[in-house]
Amino acid sequence: MSLYTDYLNEIETRKGEGLNPKPIEDGALVGEIIAQIKDLKNEHRAESLKFFIYNTLPGTTSAAGVKAAFLKEIILGGSVVEEITPAFAFELLSHMKGGPSVEVLLDLALGDDAAIAAQAADVLKTQVFLYDADTDRLAAAFKAGNAVAKDILESYAKAEFFTKLPEVEEEIKVVTFIAGEGDISTDLLSPGNQAHSRSDRELHGKCMITPEAQAEIQELQKANPDARVMLIAEKGTMGVGSSRMSGVNNVALWAGKQASPYVPFVNIAPVVAGTNGISPIFLTTVGVTGGIGLDLKNWVKKLDADGNAVLDANGDPVLEQTYSVETGKVLTINSKTKKLYDGDKELVDISSAFTPQKVEFMKAGGSYAVVFGKKLQTFASETLGIELKSAFAPSKEISVEGQGLTAVEKIFNRNAVGTTPGATLHAGSDVRVKVNIVGSQDTTGLMTSQELESMAATVISPTVDGAYQSGCHTASVWDLKAQANIPKLMKFMNKFGLITARDPKGVYHSMTDVIHKVLNDITVDDWDIIIGGDSHTRMSKGVAFGADSGTVALALATGEATMPIPESVKVTFKGTMKDHMDFRDVVHATQAQMLKQHGDNVFQGRIIEVHIGTLLADQAFTFTDWTAEMKAKASICISNDETLIGSLELAKHRIQIMIDKGMDNDAKVLAGLIAKADKRIAEIKSGEKSALTPDDNAKYFAEVVVDLDQIDEPMIADPDVNNDDVSKRYTHDTIRPVSYYGGDKKVDLGFVGSCMVHKGDMKIVAQMLKNLEKSGGKVEFKAPLVVAAPTYNIIDELKEEGDWEILQKYSGFEFDDLMPKAKARTEYENIMYLERPGCNLCMGNQEKAAKGDTVLATSTRLFQGRVVEDTAEKKGESLLASTPVVVLSAILGRTPSMDEYKAAVEGINLTKFAPPLQKPLDSKSVHF
């Protein structure tokens, strides 16, 4: 059978699923299609033309390479296709976004046929995705006296590829659609359990919200053909949680505009809004697509006569509506006045959505084009030897004389690119920064690879110190979907230049280590900037930003990221941590005490600068990881010199293990990271450059002091699924002491795993089981307990220290890498499961708890439907707690009383912490 016949069979299968033909990325298939186009009598010729013109993926796919070559053949007269004239061939090349198409255009522009060269030059002047190989050709031709090359460069120097684009329309009509009440997580827009389909945009688009919601959006579009549908988080924030490009892609697919008539299912320019605006991660992703994100502020706190907030029976502020955005309401966005209107009535100022930079993204169809455009204009000006007159809005530079720098301001100033020489920048400044470490995870990685292909990137930027492609999000089940997607992903990323969890050649053992743990280890400088394709990219060294797959692709391709310097909130600690408390309880208490101290979530959209200097990187990561749920943009750990050296030595050890396993590449990236760690350690020891600290006179948005003396019982983050106020459900703001549950809340399943646990948690599980057997005889589980270590290194160390043998003794299931599970578990027994290292239940894309279960977990996710789905009779609950609480609850089948809890942890060395100004406790405890 031919590839084309296979494709037709696939089309029939998809037709039965209500899907269109899948866009073509295989060059061999395009080759067959071209042969059928050339054969005027071929029965498939007409449909082959349609597939070639409208259904072939652009960029650097092999399909794009074959398509570009055929279009060149047509332009040069080597082939004559009545339906594709040379002029139309040039138009098709203009929509292919770089790579092979730019190579062809340069061949033609620098060729001998003057008429063709002029046409090619006109198309090239509209292109921005040029890389070094392309610009080198232009520069060489210009120096050799080529007039066409000079003409192109002069156009680039004026940035005509940008200036000649249409301006953003002044009035944008929108029709409202309430996507949900309360915070809307990206799981609603792009469910984790559908992660396998994200690279198939049409298929994945069908999982957004519900089929009923999709139909309602279509009805709104029919009724309002001159308006764009605006998705709204009523009484909440839009896009909290995971950093999914697929969420924005889905919104754009249903409510945006088609990017190109010749590229199917790639839409841009969605309009989204929230009462409390858009989460920082999601807003970045909206910018990637040239979309609009509005802060509606349509619900405000009700105030009494004295100006104080009126509270309800639960002590929460009562909200009152200032204007309605109910579904179906037609409003107008004015991009010039930067206001939202209902007819002639002004509703709210939306100027934050229309900064000069964001307007440029809208005009250019996305942020990528602006990033590449700036580089292209700079290159052209330098090559021509003329002054750069930027066509783009100048970056905002804020410098406050006499004001010190926060930790994040110091990092941004050190890594800034293209700022005013000698300027010291403070929060609010827009900065291009060098990215040191990049992480790609496996359920967004296929999209990242697509983004790299679409922007014509073929190799990682040489300025990136290290990059890693994980396999943790699909670690639980090696099913047909994973088998189809993961090897393909690893091959692409390995070739691109990343260290990959799976060796495409099969030399080293496939690793499923949690990506955040690996990034935490390969970050070997506290001044680093890290970008990762997951909201929990929150390192305890440097400053890390969770990002969508597109921003990750941009960081891999360019070695840079662009963003404002965020404001910071300083978090310090006082008091003494009680022996029976675990550090996870300190993390929960930080959220609770912050809300009590400030009323509002001052962490949202800001950097949490946590002064936690006595905890090594693994343990401190428990805090930084959780800051994603606090809605912070990122976090920074302020460490003592001694602590930082210890963390770097541990990182070196683990990187060396990766090298020993054969994971380093030809560029010796991992060896380079060890050398960088050695250099940093030497700087600290010599006193040349101590551990990162803020200046004493730095300015903070707010300060939070966490009182450890107030934390006297375990804390649980509760999704509060039955709260009368829907907007209060599934937030991470409801933190309750374990005694709230009276020792009798039924627990159906316990989960110890995800990025929130470290080696010490595994040891705590083993020690608790020994304690409970000693005090009460044989340990029997009244609820299943799922245990997933974050990394293989941890399991190896547990084996050396004897703890793994204890866990094996009590387990009823142990993973086997030689025979991984081929199907997700649907039923659980009341036993302990030792699962493969990775994300497991926290992801919700493979393993899930039974519908309607009450799950107690160490993970980070309590979103509706993520870990556990609802039944018609009972809402699923994902409550979050420390490892000892989870283990004990699984054994009891319910939440414990304080007496039961204290007895169970007696003598166990839980994660210890003391504020840096006090004498540290034994920070190594059971963890190293």
Side-chain angles (χ1 to χ4, degrees):
M1 292 179 70
S2 71
L3 292 172
Y4 188 76
T5 304
D6 292 341
Y7 187 53
L8 292 182
N9 291 336
E10 181 190 73
I11 288 172
E12 285 303 310
T13 301
R14 289 174 70 86
K15 193 181 293 182
E17 299 169 353
L19 298 169
N20 289 288
K22 193 173 183 179
I24 299 168
E25 59 183 348
D26 181 12
L29 174 56
V30 176
E32 287 190 18
I33 286 171
I34 291 170
Q36 290 171 174
I37 291 172
K38 289 180 175 181
D39 180 2
L40 299 181
K41 295 181 180 179
N42 191 285
E43 61 176 317
H44 299 297
R45 186 175 183 277
E47 62 186 4
S48 293
L49 274 164
K50 290 179 182 176
F51 291 145
F52 179 83
I53 295 170
Y54 298 106
N55 212 47
T56 303
L57 287 176
T60 55
T61 63
S62 62
V66 177
K67 181 174 180 175
F70 185 48
L71 293 173
K72 179 182 180 182
E73 192 178 310
I74 291 171
I75 291 167
L76 292 175
S79 287
V80 176
V81 179
E82 183 181 348
E83 296 86 349
I84 305 175
T85 63
F88 187 35
F90 272 121
E91 182 181 349
L92 291 175
L93 284 169
S94 75
H95 285 260
M96 290 180 66
K97 297 185 71 172
S101 61
V102 165
E103 184 180 356
V104 163
L105 288 167
L106 283 168
D107 289 344
L108 298 171
L110 303 178
D112 296 329
D113 188 310
I116 289 176
Q119 289 176 281
D122 285 344
V123 176
L124 271 172
K125 290 173 186 177
T126 68
Q127 304 297 296
V128 293
F129 292 105
L130 276 70
Y131 287 85
D132 289 349
D134 307 314
T135 54
D136 287 349
R137 286 186 68 184
L138 270 178
F142 166 70
K143 289 171 184 173
N146 187 294
V148 175
K150 182 182 179 185
D151 180 44
I152 294 169
L153 287 169
E154 287 174 344
S155 175
Y156 286 162
K158 298 173 188 173
E160 290 180 339
F161 49 76
F162 176 75
T163 59
K164 289 189 175 183
L165 292 172
E167 297 297 326
V168 175
E169 56 262 54
E170 182 173 348
E171 290 194 344
I172 303 165
K173 284 182 69 176
V174 294
V175 57
T176 58
F177 176 75
I178 304 297
E181 190 171 342
D183 289 348
I184 290 181
S185 82
T186 43
D187 218 51
L188 182 73
L189 309 175
S190 168
N193 61 8
Q194 299 298 314
H196 62 278
S197 67
R198 286 179 187 161
S199 58
D200 185 343
R201 291 198 179 199
E202 185 191 16
L203 175 59
H204 193 67
K206 289 184 176 294
C207 71
M208 188 184 81
I209 313 179
T210 63
E212 293 76 18
Q214 295 162 16
E216 192 171 356
I217 289 170
Q218 289 177 317
E219 288 302 315
L220 287 170
Q221 290 168 329
K222 288 178 185 176
N224 302 275
D226 60 340
R228 292 156 68 176
V229 174
M230 177 169 73
L231 265 65
I232 296 172
E234 176 76 321
K235 296 172 75 175
T237 304
M238 173 66 80
V240 299
S242 299
S243 43
R244 293 195 194 147
M245 185 81 200
S246 53
V248 172
N249 284 345
N250 282 350
V251 176
L253 193 62
W254 287 102
K257 300 185 291 189
Q258 189 173 0
S260 164
Y262 309 113
V263 184
F265 313 119
V266 177
N267 284 19
I268 59 172
V271 184
V272 292
T275 293
N276 301 326
I278 318 296
S279 76
I281 294 171
F282 201 67
L283 193 55
T284 299
T285 319
V286 170
V288 168
T289 61
I292 301 171
L294 302 185
D295 188 352
L296 296 175
K297 303 172 187 168
N298 60 315
W299 288 86
V300 298
K301 291 179 184 177
K302 185 176 181 180
L303 304 178
D304 61 20
D306 298 322
N308 299 314
V310 177
L311 305 180
D312 62 18
N314 295 320
D316 297 319
V318 174
L319 301 178
E320 54 186 3
Q321 192 179 54
T322 59
Y323 62 94
S324 172
V325 290
E326 62 188 349
T327 293
K329 201 167 186 63
V330 177
L331 305 173
T332 302
I333 295 169
N334 191 298
S335 64
K336 295 292 187 288
T337 64
K338 302 178 184 179
K339 304 284 177 64
L340 180 67
Y341 296 92
D342 182 358
D344 295 329
K345 182 183 178 183
E346 179 185 321
L347 299 179
V348 68
D349 182 282
I350 53 172
S351 55
S352 63
F354 287 91
T355 64
Q357 288 75 22
K358 290 177 182 177
V359 170
E360 287 176 346
F361 297 163
M362 297 171 201
K363 177 177 176 177
S367 58
Y368 296 168
V370 173
V371 171
F372 277 84
K374 288 179 178 179
K375 292 182 74 171
L376 193 56
Q377 187 183 18
T378 301
F379 151 75
S381 299
E382 290 175 351
T383 304
L384 292 169
I386 61 176
E387 181 186 354
L388 171 64
K389 296 181 179 179
S390 178
F392 300 93
S395 294
K396 184 174 18 172
E397 294 189 353
I398 297 174
S399 185
V400 183
E401 189 175 348
Q403 180 178 305
L405 297 174
T406 63
V408 74
E409 288 169 341
K410 285 189 173 184
I411 293 176
F412 270 64
N413 274 278
R414 171 182 161 168
N415 290 285
V417 177
T419 55
T420 302
T424 298
L425 305 180
H426 288 88
S429 301
D430 292 315
V431 186
R432 273 172 57 213
V433 288
K434 177 183 181 297
V435 175
N436 307 97
I437 302 292
V438 185
S440 171
Q441 52 97 333
D442 40 321
T443 51
T444 60
L446 285 170
M447 294 173 60
T448 300
S449 61
Q450 282 184 336
E451 297 290 339
L452 288 167
E453 287 179 326
S454 73
M455 65 176 74
T458 56
V459 65
I460 192 170
S461 169
T463 63
V464 173
D465 292 328
Y468 181 73
Q469 171 61 58
S470 80
C472 56
H473 288 64
T474 52
S476 302
V477 184
W478 191 238
D479 56 14
L480 293 175
K481 295 168 185 173
Q483 291 171 39
N485 289 333
I486 303 307
K488 173 184 173 184
L489 169 64
M490 296 294 171
K491 183 178 180 182
F492 179 95
M493 291 300 193
N494 196 280
K495 182 180 178 183
F496 197 83
L498 283 75
I499 304 298
T500 52
R502 177 179 289 271
D503 184 2
K505 298 176 183 176
V507 175
Y508 58 81
H509 178 270
S510 296
M511 308 292 283
T512 54
D513 293 348
V514 174
I515 181 172
H516 323 300
K517 294 295 188 182
V518 178
L519 293 181
N520 204 35
D521 286 335
I522 69 173
T523 300
V524 291
D525 193 330
D526 47 330
W527 292 74
D528 275 357
I529 291 178
I530 306 99
I531 297 289
D534 192 288
S535 58
H536 290 99
T537 305
R538 309 266 166 155
M539 304 305 100
S540 51
K541 302 184 290 291
V543 62
F545 298 94
D548 60 276
S549 54
T551 301
V552 170
L554 199 62
L556 287 170
T558 67
E560 294 181 8
T562 302
M563 67 186 89
I565 302 177
E567 294 177 300
S568 294
V569 176
K570 184 177 183 179
V571 175
T572 56
F573 303 86
K574 68 177 183 179
T576 304
M577 189 173 171
K578 295 174 175 58
D579 287 342
H580 63 277
M581 303 308 299
D582 185 77
F583 183 64
R584 176 67 181 259
D585 300 311
V586 175
V587 175
H588 286 304
T590 299
Q591 178 86 339
Q593 292 190 25
M594 175 273 294
L595 290 169
K596 190 173 181 180
Q597 290 173 30
H598 292 278
D600 293 318
N601 184 356
V602 295
F603 292 151
Q604 183 165 346
R606 300 184 178 93
I607 301 292
I608 299 179
E609 184 184 286
V610 55
H611 291 245
I612 204 166
T614 60
L615 280 182
L616 291 171
D618 281 13
Q619 300 143 287
F621 183 76
T622 303
F623 189 99
T624 57
D625 196 24
W626 180 260
T627 62
E629 312 317 327
M630 297 179 190
K631 301 181 186 175
K633 190 170 181 66
S635 62
I636 293 181
C637 285
I638 304 302
S639 289
N640 295 346
D641 283 355
E642 181 183 328
T643 306
L644 180 56
I645 290 171
S647 294
L648 292 174
E649 292 289 1
L650 184 62
K652 282 174 52 185
H653 169 71
R654 290 181 177 162
I655 295 169
Q656 186 60 53
I657 289 172
M658 295 171 74
I659 294 173
D660 294 343
K661 288 179 177 177
M663 296 180 73
D664 212 351
N665 57 15
D666 293 341
K668 301 298 179 187
V669 164
L670 295 177
L673 291 173
I674 288 181
K676 183 177 177 181
D678 283 333
K679 180 174 181 289
R680 184 70 187 104
I681 290 169
E683 289 174 343
I684 298 168
K685 287 183 174 179
S686 68
E688 177 187 345
K689 189 175 183 182
S690 295
L692 172 68
T693 56
D695 291 331
D696 291 339
N697 59 340
K699 183 182 178 182
Y700 296 92
F701 176 82
E703 295 193 27
V704 175
V705 180
V706 181
D707 188 351
L708 300 176
D709 291 332
Q710 292 183 20
I711 311 169
D712 57 4
E713 58 177 300
M715 312 291 284
I716 292 178
D718 193 323
D720 207 10
V721 298
N722 296 310
N723 194 310
D724 292 337
D725 185 344
V726 177
S727 70
K728 299 284 181 15
R729 300 175 190 170
Y730 305 106
T731 76
H732 286 76
D733 292 345
T734 304
I735 309 292
R736 290 169 169 154
V738 73
S739 61
Y740 172 90
Y741 303 95
D744 58 8
K745 182 175 178 65
K746 187 174 183 292
V747 172
D748 299 300
L749 184 142
F751 172 51
V752 174
S754 89
C755 46
M756 286 292 285
V757 298
H758 50 83
K759 177 184 169 185
D761 291 278
M762 299 295 111
K763 294 182 78 72
I764 288 169
V765 176
Q767 290 187 6
M768 284 189 71
L769 291 170
K770 284 198 299 183
N771 270 16
L772 292 165
E773 182 181 80
K774 185 177 181 181
S775 62
K778 183 181 178 183
V779 176
E780 293 186 356
F781 292 89
K782 293 186 179 176
L785 177 63
V786 178
V787 177
T791 66
Y792 284 92
N793 282 349
I794 286 173
I795 292 177
D796 290 342
E797 291 172 21
L798 293 174
K799 287 177 178 177
E800 291 174 8
E801 296 164 16
D803 296 283
W804 191 254
E805 185 179 341
I806 297 167
L807 296 175
Q808 286 175 312
K809 174 184 174 182
Y810 292 100
S811 71
F813 170 86
E814 183 180 353
F815 75 94
D816 182 353
D817 275 336
L818 297 178
M819 296 184 66
K821 284 184 296 183
K823 291 184 179 179
R825 183 178 285 109
T826 56
E827 295 182 357
Y828 295 84
E829 300 176 48
N830 290 343
I831 58 173
M832 182 168 74
Y833 296 83
L834 291 180
E835 294 287 358
R836 199 179 194 187
C839 302
N840 201 273
L841 283 163
C842 187
M843 261 303 294
N845 64 318
Q846 291 184 322
E847 303 278 61
K848 291 183 95 73
K851 292 183 178 180
D853 270 2
T854 293
V855 179
L856 199 62
T858 60
S859 66
T860 56
R861 296 306 195 200
L862 47 67
F863 304 143
Q864 185 174 18
R866 179 65 175 262
V867 173
V868 55
E869 295 177 353
D870 300 339
T871 65
E873 297 77 29
K874 184 182 180 298
K875 292 181 180 295
E877 296 179 271
S878 176
L879 293 90
L880 310 178
S882 66
T883 293
V885 171
V886 171
V887 173
L888 186 55
S889 297
I891 291 168
L892 297 173
R894 57 174 173 77
T895 53
S897 67
M898 271 305 294
D899 288 341
E900 288 170 324
Y901 171 80
K902 283 186 175 181
V905 299
E906 187 174 355
I908 293 180
N909 202 352
L910 303 176
T911 309
K912 294 292 191 293
F913 169 67
L917 295 180
Q918 298 181 15
K919 182 182 178 183
L921 297 169
D922 177 13
S923 63
K924 291 189 176 181
S925 61
V926 297
H927 313 290
F928 299 97

